[in-house]
Amino acid sequence: MAKKKTIDFEKLLKNVNAEFPTYQALDQDGNVVNEDLVPDLSDDELVELMTQMVWSRVLDQRSTALNRQGRLGFFAPTAGQEASQLASHFAFEKEDVLLPGYRDVPQLIQHGLPLSQAFLWSRGHVAGNIYPDDLQALPPQIIIGAQYVQAAGVALGLKKRDKKNVVFTYTGDGGSSQGDFYEAMNFAGAYKANAVFYIQNNGFAISTPREKQSAAHTLAQKAVAAGIPGIQVDGMDALAVYTVSKFAREWVLKGNGPVLIETLTYRYGPHTLSGDDPTRYRSKDLDDQWQKKDPLIRFRKYLEAKGLWSEDKENEIIEQSKEEIKAAIAEADKQPKQKVSDFLKNMFEVQPQNIKEQIESYEAKESK
Protein backbone atom coordinates (compact mmCIF):
# COMPACT_ATOMS: atom_id res chain seq x y z
CA MET A 1 0.00 0.00 0.00
CA ALA A 2 1.35 3.40 -0.98
CA LYS A 3 2.25 5.72 1.88
CA LYS A 4 -0.35 8.45 2.32
CA LYS A 5 1.00 11.93 1.59
CA THR A 6 0.92 14.48 4.39
CA ILE A 7 1.18 18.24 4.63
CA ASP A 8 4.41 19.46 6.22
CA PHE A 9 3.06 21.98 8.70
CA GLU A 10 6.49 22.41 10.28
CA LYS A 11 7.78 23.68 6.95
CA LEU A 12 4.80 26.00 6.61
CA LEU A 13 5.46 27.34 10.10
CA LYS A 14 8.93 28.41 8.99
CA ASN A 15 7.27 30.71 6.47
CA VAL A 16 5.11 32.18 9.25
CA ASN A 17 8.21 32.96 11.28
CA ALA A 18 10.19 34.37 8.37
CA GLU A 19 12.74 36.91 9.53
CA PHE A 20 11.68 40.56 9.73
CA PRO A 21 14.89 42.38 10.71
CA THR A 22 14.80 45.30 13.13
CA TYR A 23 16.28 48.37 11.43
CA GLN A 24 18.61 50.35 13.68
CA ALA A 25 21.01 53.24 13.08
CA LEU A 26 22.20 53.99 16.64
CA ASP A 27 22.89 51.71 19.56
CA GLN A 28 21.77 52.72 23.04
CA ASP A 29 25.04 54.60 23.57
CA GLY A 30 24.49 56.79 20.54
CA ASN A 31 27.05 55.02 18.34
CA VAL A 32 26.31 54.52 14.64
CA VAL A 33 25.82 50.82 13.88
CA ASN A 34 24.41 51.16 10.36
CA GLU A 35 25.65 54.03 8.19
CA ASP A 36 23.00 53.27 5.56
CA LEU A 37 20.29 54.36 8.00
CA VAL A 38 21.93 57.65 8.97
CA PRO A 39 19.79 60.24 7.17
CA ASP A 40 21.06 63.17 5.16
CA LEU A 41 19.79 65.78 7.61
CA SER A 42 21.55 69.10 8.14
CA ASP A 43 22.93 70.03 11.54
CA ASP A 44 20.04 72.45 12.02
CA GLU A 45 17.52 69.73 11.20
CA LEU A 46 19.12 67.32 13.64
CA VAL A 47 18.98 69.95 16.38
CA GLU A 48 15.36 70.74 15.53
CA LEU A 49 14.39 67.09 15.81
CA MET A 50 16.07 66.79 19.20
CA THR A 51 14.40 70.03 20.29
CA GLN A 52 10.99 68.59 19.44
CA MET A 53 11.74 65.40 21.35
CA VAL A 54 12.82 67.31 24.46
CA TRP A 55 9.72 69.50 24.15
CA SER A 56 7.56 66.37 23.99
CA ARG A 57 9.13 64.95 27.17
CA VAL A 58 8.42 68.25 28.97
CA LEU A 59 4.87 68.26 27.60
CA ASP A 60 4.35 64.77 29.02
CA GLN A 61 5.64 65.83 32.45
CA ARG A 62 3.65 69.07 32.59
CA SER A 63 0.47 67.44 31.24
CA THR A 64 0.72 64.81 33.97
CA ALA A 65 1.03 67.54 36.60
CA LEU A 66 -1.87 69.53 35.12
CA ASN A 67 -4.03 66.41 35.11
CA ARG A 68 -3.32 65.79 38.78
CA GLN A 69 -4.18 69.41 39.54
CA GLY A 70 -7.57 68.94 37.88
CA ARG A 71 -6.69 71.40 35.09
CA LEU A 72 -6.52 68.79 32.32
CA GLY A 73 -8.85 65.96 31.41
CA PHE A 74 -7.97 62.81 29.49
CA PHE A 75 -4.24 62.25 28.99
CA ALA A 76 -2.26 59.33 27.56
CA PRO A 77 1.43 59.57 28.57
CA THR A 78 4.01 59.65 25.78
CA ALA A 79 7.39 59.59 27.60
CA GLY A 80 9.61 56.97 25.99
CA GLN A 81 7.92 57.20 22.59
CA GLU A 82 9.47 60.51 21.45
CA ALA A 83 11.57 58.96 18.67
CA SER A 84 8.69 56.79 17.48
CA GLN A 85 6.35 59.78 17.36
CA LEU A 86 8.39 62.88 16.53
CA ALA A 87 11.09 61.32 14.31
CA SER A 88 8.42 59.65 12.20
CA HIS A 89 6.45 62.88 11.93
CA PHE A 90 9.64 64.72 10.96
CA ALA A 91 9.74 62.71 7.72
CA PHE A 92 6.41 64.08 6.46
CA GLU A 93 5.30 67.40 4.99
CA LYS A 94 2.74 69.89 6.28
CA GLU A 95 0.51 69.03 3.31
CA ASP A 96 0.47 65.35 4.30
CA VAL A 97 -2.57 64.33 6.31
CA LEU A 98 -2.15 63.14 9.89
CA LEU A 99 -4.72 60.86 11.52
CA PRO A 100 -3.60 60.43 15.12
CA GLY A 101 -4.65 58.16 17.92
CA TYR A 102 -5.22 59.56 21.38
CA ARG A 103 -1.53 59.13 22.33
CA ASP A 104 -0.37 61.06 19.27
CA VAL A 105 -1.07 64.62 20.40
CA PRO A 106 2.64 65.63 20.18
CA GLN A 107 2.69 64.94 16.43
CA LEU A 108 -0.59 66.80 16.02
CA ILE A 109 0.80 69.90 17.72
CA GLN A 110 3.97 69.76 15.63
CA HIS A 111 1.77 69.41 12.55
CA GLY A 112 0.14 72.75 13.35
CA LEU A 113 -2.49 72.39 16.09
CA PRO A 114 -2.20 75.22 18.64
CA LEU A 115 -1.19 73.81 22.02
CA SER A 116 -4.08 75.55 23.76
CA GLN A 117 -6.51 73.66 21.51
CA ALA A 118 -4.82 70.37 22.36
CA PHE A 119 -5.50 71.14 26.01
CA LEU A 120 -9.13 71.95 25.20
CA TRP A 121 -9.44 68.61 23.40
CA SER A 122 -8.15 66.90 26.53
CA ARG A 123 -10.88 68.65 28.50
CA GLY A 124 -13.54 67.49 26.05
CA HIS A 125 -14.24 71.03 24.88
CA VAL A 126 -15.74 71.41 21.41
CA ALA A 127 -13.29 74.22 20.61
CA GLY A 128 -10.51 71.62 20.78
CA ASN A 129 -11.89 70.05 17.60
CA ILE A 130 -12.29 73.22 15.52
CA TYR A 131 -9.10 73.18 13.46
CA PRO A 132 -7.38 75.89 11.42
CA ASP A 133 -8.21 75.61 7.71
CA ASP A 134 -4.62 74.85 6.77
CA LEU A 135 -4.18 72.02 9.30
CA GLN A 136 -4.14 68.73 7.41
CA ALA A 137 -5.28 66.48 10.24
CA LEU A 138 -8.24 64.98 12.03
CA PRO A 139 -8.74 65.10 15.82
CA PRO A 140 -7.23 62.25 17.86
CA GLN A 141 -9.28 59.10 17.54
CA ILE A 142 -10.51 57.53 20.78
CA ILE A 143 -11.91 54.35 19.20
CA ILE A 144 -9.02 51.87 19.03
CA GLY A 145 -7.92 51.38 15.41
CA ALA A 146 -10.71 53.44 13.83
CA GLN A 147 -8.19 55.98 12.53
CA TYR A 148 -6.83 53.26 10.23
CA VAL A 149 -10.15 52.97 8.39
CA GLN A 150 -10.40 56.74 8.11
CA ALA A 151 -6.81 56.90 6.85
CA ALA A 152 -7.52 54.35 4.13
CA GLY A 153 -10.44 56.43 2.88
CA VAL A 154 -8.57 59.74 2.98
CA ALA A 155 -5.55 58.13 1.30
CA LEU A 156 -7.67 56.81 -1.56
CA GLY A 157 -9.19 60.27 -1.92
CA LEU A 158 -5.72 61.80 -2.28
CA LYS A 159 -4.82 59.24 -4.92
CA LYS A 160 -8.00 59.78 -6.94
CA ARG A 161 -7.34 63.53 -6.94
CA ASP A 162 -3.72 62.97 -8.02
CA LYS A 163 -2.37 64.65 -4.90
CA LYS A 164 1.35 64.20 -4.28
CA ASN A 165 0.82 63.75 -0.57
CA VAL A 166 0.28 60.87 1.80
CA VAL A 167 -1.80 60.02 4.84
CA PHE A 168 0.03 58.76 7.91
CA THR A 169 -1.65 57.26 10.93
CA TYR A 170 -0.74 55.59 14.20
CA THR A 171 -2.09 52.90 16.48
CA GLY A 172 -0.58 50.78 19.24
CA ASP A 173 0.16 47.08 19.41
CA GLY A 174 -3.33 46.60 20.85
CA GLY A 175 -4.80 48.43 17.89
CA SER A 176 -3.21 45.88 15.56
CA SER A 177 -5.57 43.27 17.05
CA GLN A 178 -8.66 45.21 15.98
CA GLY A 179 -10.76 44.38 12.93
CA ASP A 180 -10.46 47.95 11.66
CA PHE A 181 -6.70 47.47 11.42
CA TYR A 182 -6.98 44.57 8.98
CA GLU A 183 -9.85 46.02 6.99
CA ALA A 184 -8.05 49.31 6.47
CA MET A 185 -4.79 47.76 5.28
CA ASN A 186 -6.62 45.34 3.03
CA PHE A 187 -8.60 48.17 1.42
CA ALA A 188 -5.60 50.49 1.11
CA GLY A 189 -3.46 47.68 -0.30
CA ALA A 190 -6.06 46.63 -2.87
CA TYR A 191 -6.39 50.18 -4.19
CA LYS A 192 -2.73 51.20 -3.66
CA ALA A 193 -3.82 54.16 -1.56
CA ASN A 194 -1.37 56.82 -0.40
CA ALA A 195 -0.95 55.68 3.21
CA VAL A 196 1.77 54.94 5.75
CA PHE A 197 0.46 52.94 8.72
CA TYR A 198 2.31 52.88 12.04
CA ILE A 199 2.06 50.36 14.86
CA GLN A 200 3.77 51.80 17.93
CA ASN A 201 4.52 48.55 19.70
CA ASN A 202 5.12 49.59 23.30
CA GLY A 203 4.64 46.05 24.54
CA PHE A 204 1.28 46.36 26.24
CA ALA A 205 -2.33 47.04 25.25
CA ILE A 206 -3.16 48.68 28.56
CA SER A 207 -2.15 45.66 30.71
CA THR A 208 -2.21 42.90 28.07
CA PRO A 209 1.34 41.99 26.99
CA ARG A 210 2.18 41.80 23.31
CA GLU A 211 2.73 38.02 23.35
CA LYS A 212 -0.86 37.45 24.52
CA GLN A 213 -2.34 39.65 21.79
CA SER A 214 -1.06 37.83 18.73
CA ALA A 215 0.84 34.69 17.74
CA ALA A 216 2.48 36.63 14.91
CA HIS A 217 6.28 36.55 15.14
CA THR A 218 6.30 40.32 14.49
CA LEU A 219 3.52 42.83 14.03
CA ALA A 220 5.22 44.13 10.87
CA GLN A 221 4.52 40.84 9.09
CA LYS A 222 0.78 41.44 9.39
CA ALA A 223 1.31 43.54 6.26
CA VAL A 224 1.92 40.40 4.21
CA ALA A 225 -1.76 39.41 4.11
CA ALA A 226 -2.59 42.86 2.73
CA GLY A 227 0.08 42.53 0.02
CA ILE A 228 2.06 45.53 1.26
CA PRO A 229 5.58 45.97 2.70
CA GLY A 230 5.97 45.58 6.46
CA ILE A 231 9.00 47.01 8.26
CA GLN A 232 10.14 46.73 11.87
CA VAL A 233 12.33 49.50 13.26
CA ASP A 234 13.94 50.31 16.61
CA GLY A 235 11.40 52.85 17.87
CA MET A 236 13.86 54.28 20.42
CA ASP A 237 16.26 55.26 17.62
CA ALA A 238 15.32 58.64 16.13
CA LEU A 239 17.59 58.31 13.09
CA ALA A 240 16.33 54.86 12.10
CA VAL A 241 12.68 55.85 12.57
CA TYR A 242 13.17 58.96 10.43
CA THR A 243 15.01 57.11 7.64
CA VAL A 244 12.51 54.26 7.44
CA SER A 245 9.63 56.77 7.42
CA LYS A 246 11.25 58.87 4.71
CA PHE A 247 11.78 55.85 2.46
CA ALA A 248 8.21 54.71 3.11
CA ARG A 249 6.81 58.08 2.09
CA GLU A 250 8.84 58.06 -1.12
CA TRP A 251 7.70 54.50 -1.90
CA VAL A 252 4.05 55.47 -1.49
CA LEU A 253 4.37 58.59 -3.65
CA LYS A 254 5.74 56.48 -6.50
CA GLY A 255 2.33 54.81 -6.70
CA ASN A 256 3.42 51.54 -5.09
CA GLY A 257 0.71 51.53 -2.45
CA PRO A 258 0.86 51.71 1.35
CA VAL A 259 3.49 50.64 3.88
CA LEU A 260 3.17 49.30 7.43
CA ILE A 261 5.86 50.28 9.95
CA GLU A 262 6.18 48.67 13.38
CA THR A 263 8.20 50.76 15.83
CA LEU A 264 9.56 48.86 18.85
CA THR A 265 9.17 51.35 21.67
CA TYR A 266 8.06 51.69 25.30
CA ARG A 267 5.79 53.96 27.29
CA TYR A 268 7.33 54.75 30.66
CA GLY A 269 4.07 55.86 32.25
CA PRO A 270 0.63 54.27 32.53
CA HIS A 271 -1.65 53.65 29.57
CA THR A 272 -3.62 56.76 30.57
CA LEU A 273 -3.98 58.76 33.77
CA SER A 274 -7.49 57.37 34.24
CA GLY A 275 -6.60 54.81 36.89
CA ASP A 276 -4.12 52.50 35.14
CA ASP A 277 -1.29 51.24 37.39
CA PRO A 278 1.56 49.78 35.29
CA THR A 279 3.34 48.37 38.34
CA ARG A 280 0.62 45.69 38.45
CA TYR A 281 1.68 44.20 35.12
CA ARG A 282 5.22 45.47 34.42
CA SER A 283 8.33 44.63 36.41
CA LYS A 284 10.98 47.08 37.54
CA ASP A 285 13.56 45.02 35.65
CA LEU A 286 11.63 45.54 32.41
CA ASP A 287 11.33 49.27 33.06
CA ASP A 288 15.07 49.47 33.76
CA GLN A 289 15.91 47.62 30.54
CA TRP A 290 13.96 50.13 28.46
CA GLN A 291 15.23 53.15 30.40
CA LYS A 292 18.71 52.23 29.14
CA LYS A 293 17.36 52.57 25.58
CA ASP A 294 15.84 56.01 26.23
CA PRO A 295 15.47 57.83 22.88
CA LEU A 296 16.53 61.19 24.32
CA ILE A 297 19.70 59.81 25.90
CA ARG A 298 20.64 57.94 22.73
CA PHE A 299 20.08 60.87 20.39
CA ARG A 300 21.67 63.32 22.87
CA LYS A 301 24.91 61.31 22.93
CA TYR A 302 24.97 61.20 19.13
CA LEU A 303 24.52 64.97 18.85
CA GLU A 304 27.02 65.72 21.62
CA ALA A 305 29.65 63.68 19.77
CA LYS A 306 29.02 65.87 16.73
CA GLY A 307 29.29 69.04 18.84
CA LEU A 308 25.64 69.96 18.21
CA TRP A 309 24.19 69.61 21.71
CA SER A 310 24.95 70.54 25.30
CA GLU A 311 23.37 70.42 28.74
CA ASP A 312 22.93 74.19 28.72
CA LYS A 313 21.13 74.09 25.39
CA GLU A 314 18.80 71.36 26.61
CA ASN A 315 18.02 73.21 29.83
CA GLU A 316 17.19 76.31 27.80
CA ILE A 317 14.74 74.34 25.66
CA ILE A 318 13.17 72.80 28.77
CA GLU A 319 12.53 76.23 30.27
CA GLN A 320 11.15 77.58 26.99
CA SER A 321 8.84 74.59 26.73
CA LYS A 322 7.55 75.11 30.26
CA GLU A 323 6.76 78.75 29.47
CA GLU A 324 4.98 77.76 26.24
CA ILE A 325 2.88 75.22 28.11
CA LYS A 326 2.08 77.70 30.88
CA ALA A 327 0.86 80.24 28.31
CA ALA A 328 -1.17 77.64 26.45
CA ILE A 329 -3.04 76.39 29.53
CA ALA A 330 -3.77 80.00 30.48
CA GLU A 331 -5.20 80.56 26.99
CA ALA A 332 -7.31 77.41 27.28
CA ASP A 333 -8.65 78.66 30.62
CA LYS A 334 -10.10 81.72 28.84
CA GLN A 335 -12.43 79.59 26.73
CA PRO A 336 -16.05 79.89 27.94
CA LYS A 337 -17.33 76.82 29.74
CA GLN A 338 -19.62 74.58 27.74
CA LYS A 339 -23.35 74.50 28.37
CA VAL A 340 -25.81 71.64 28.06
CA SER A 341 -27.76 73.72 25.54
CA ASP A 342 -24.58 73.97 23.44
CA PHE A 343 -24.17 70.19 23.46
CA LEU A 344 -27.68 69.78 22.10
CA LYS A 345 -27.18 72.45 19.44
CA ASN A 346 -23.92 70.83 18.30
CA MET A 347 -25.45 67.36 18.19
CA PHE A 348 -28.37 68.16 15.90
CA GLU A 349 -28.03 70.03 12.61
CA VAL A 350 -31.82 69.99 12.29
CA GLN A 351 -33.34 69.99 15.76
CA PRO A 352 -36.55 68.02 16.31
CA GLN A 353 -39.24 69.71 18.38
CA ASN A 354 -38.42 67.87 21.62
CA ILE A 355 -34.76 68.92 21.37
CA LYS A 356 -35.76 72.53 20.70
CA GLU A 357 -37.85 72.45 23.85
CA GLN A 358 -34.95 71.03 25.84
CA ILE A 359 -32.61 73.73 24.51
CA GLU A 360 -35.07 76.46 25.51
CA SER A 361 -35.43 74.91 28.95
CA TYR A 362 -31.68 74.67 29.53
CA GLU A 363 -31.05 78.19 28.18
CA ALA A 364 -33.58 79.54 30.64
CA LYS A 365 -31.75 77.82 33.52
CA GLU A 366 -28.33 78.82 32.23
CA SER A 367 -29.23 82.49 31.99
CA LYS A 368 -30.02 82.72 35.70
Side-chain angles (χ1 to χ4, degrees):
M1 182 181 293
K3 186 178 180 181
K4 184 181 286 188
K5 293 182 179 179
T6 61
I7 297 173
D8 189 346
F9 282 99
E10 290 294 332
K11 184 177 181 180
L12 293 176
L13 191 60
K14 291 179 181 179
N15 294 332
V16 171
N17 293 331
E19 182 181 1
F20 272 68
T22 302
Y23 287 83
Q24 184 185 60
L26 301 175
D27 64 18
Q28 64 187 41
D29 294 318
N31 301 311
V32 175
V33 293
N34 188 341
E35 286 284 356
D36 292 339
L37 290 178
V38 176
D40 186 21
L41 290 171
S42 68
D43 289 349
D44 287 345
E45 288 173 324
L46 290 170
V47 169
E48 173 59 24
L49 176 53
M50 181 61 177
T51 298
Q52 290 184 16
M53 290 170 60
V54 171
W55 163 85
S56 184
R57 181 66 61 89
V58 176
L59 179 63
D60 175 88
Q61 296 166 348
R62 298 305 302 152
S63 295
T64 299
L66 289 166
N67 174 276
R68 289 171 176 166
Q69 294 167 11
R71 301 184 67 191
L72 208 59
F74 174 85
F75 179 66
T78 60
Q81 296 190 204
E82 291 86 0
S84 176
Q85 294 179 315
L86 278 306
S88 59
H89 177 268
F90 207 72
F92 294 90
E93 304 293 334
K94 286 294 185 183
E95 293 74 22
D96 294 329
V97 185
L98 167 61
L99 277 77
Y102 51 73
R103 202 181 304 279
D104 302 308
V105 175
Q107 302 99 295
L108 190 55
I109 296 168
Q110 291 298 332
H111 209 58
L113 181 69
L115 181 53
S116 59
Q117 280 191 262
F119 287 147
L120 288 170
W121 175 82
S122 174
R123 293 176 176 180
H125 200 293
V126 66
N129 296 304
I130 302 173
Y131 283 7
D133 291 339
D134 61 347
L135 176 54
Q136 300 297 308
L138 292 183
Q141 177 59 260
I142 291 294
I143 302 171
I144 306 297
Q147 63 271 30
Y148 262 50
V149 173
Q150 294 172 320
V154 175
L156 182 59
L158 290 178
K159 180 182 179 181
K160 291 179 76 68
R161 289 184 289 155
D162 293 323
K163 296 290 185 180
K164 298 304 179 185
N165 299 105
V166 303
V167 174
F168 59 114
T169 187
Y170 301 82
T171 193
D173 44 295
S176 72
S177 300
Q178 294 291 110
D180 284 354
F181 168 87
Y182 296 98
E183 293 163 10
M185 286 201 305
N186 186 69
F187 180 91
Y191 290 97
K192 295 189 180 298
N194 299 10
V196 178
F197 298 105
Y198 286 92
I199 304 172
Q200 297 190 90
N201 180 2
N202 61 33
F204 293 86
I206 307 183
S207 59
T208 304
R210 150 73 176 91
E211 58 270 18
K212 289 188 177 181
Q213 298 174 48
S214 173
H217 187 59
T218 68
L219 300 183
Q221 71 194 66
K222 292 188 175 188
V224 174
I228 67 176
I231 306 171
Q232 188 181 78
V233 62
D234 182 346
M236 311 296 268
D237 177 355
L239 295 187
V241 172
Y242 171 84
T243 300
V244 166
S245 299
K246 194 72 173 178
F247 277 121
R249 183 180 186 273
E250 292 170 358
W251 167 272
V252 172
L253 287 179
K254 291 176 182 177
N256 296 310
V259 174
L260 174 68
I261 300 173
E262 176 190 5
T263 64
L264 298 177
T265 185
Y266 196 74
R267 56 169 169 84
Y268 295 148
H271 176 71
T272 71
L273 298 185
S274 302
D276 175 46
D277 179 7
T279 63
R280 297 180 65 182
Y281 54 86
R282 290 192 328 213
S283 68
K284 185 179 184 303
D285 286 344
L286 182 63
D287 285 347
D288 290 344
Q289 289 174 29
W290 281 97
Q291 288 281 355
K292 294 175 182 177
K293 303 176 183 179
D294 190 293
L296 267 64
I297 295 174
R298 186 183 301 193
F299 199 27
R300 180 189 299 127
K301 288 180 177 179
Y302 173 76
L303 295 181
E304 286 175 342
K306 293 172 68 68
L308 298 176
W309 201 257
S310 67
E311 183 178 354
D312 288 344
K313 184 175 185 65
E314 185 161 330
N315 287 334
E316 181 182 347
I317 291 167
I318 290 172
E319 293 306 313
Q320 289 174 351
S321 300
K322 288 180 179 178
E323 289 301 314
E324 177 189 349
I325 292 165
K326 181 179 179 180
I329 199 69
E331 184 65 27
D333 287 341
K334 296 177 183 178
Q335 189 71 30
K337 292 184 178 180
Q338 297 182 104
K339 302 174 182 178
V340 176
S341 59
D342 292 332
F343 291 145
L344 293 170
K345 290 175 183 177
N346 292 335
M347 181 63 68
F348 295 90
E349 182 178 4
V350 179
Q351 299 157 5
Q353 183 58 37
N354 65 320
I355 298 299
K356 289 181 180 179
E357 293 172 359
Q358 290 182 48
I359 291 173
E360 291 173 1
S361 175
Y362 279 113
E363 286 181 333
K365 295 176 183 177
E366 293 161 352
S367 64
K368 293 180 180 180

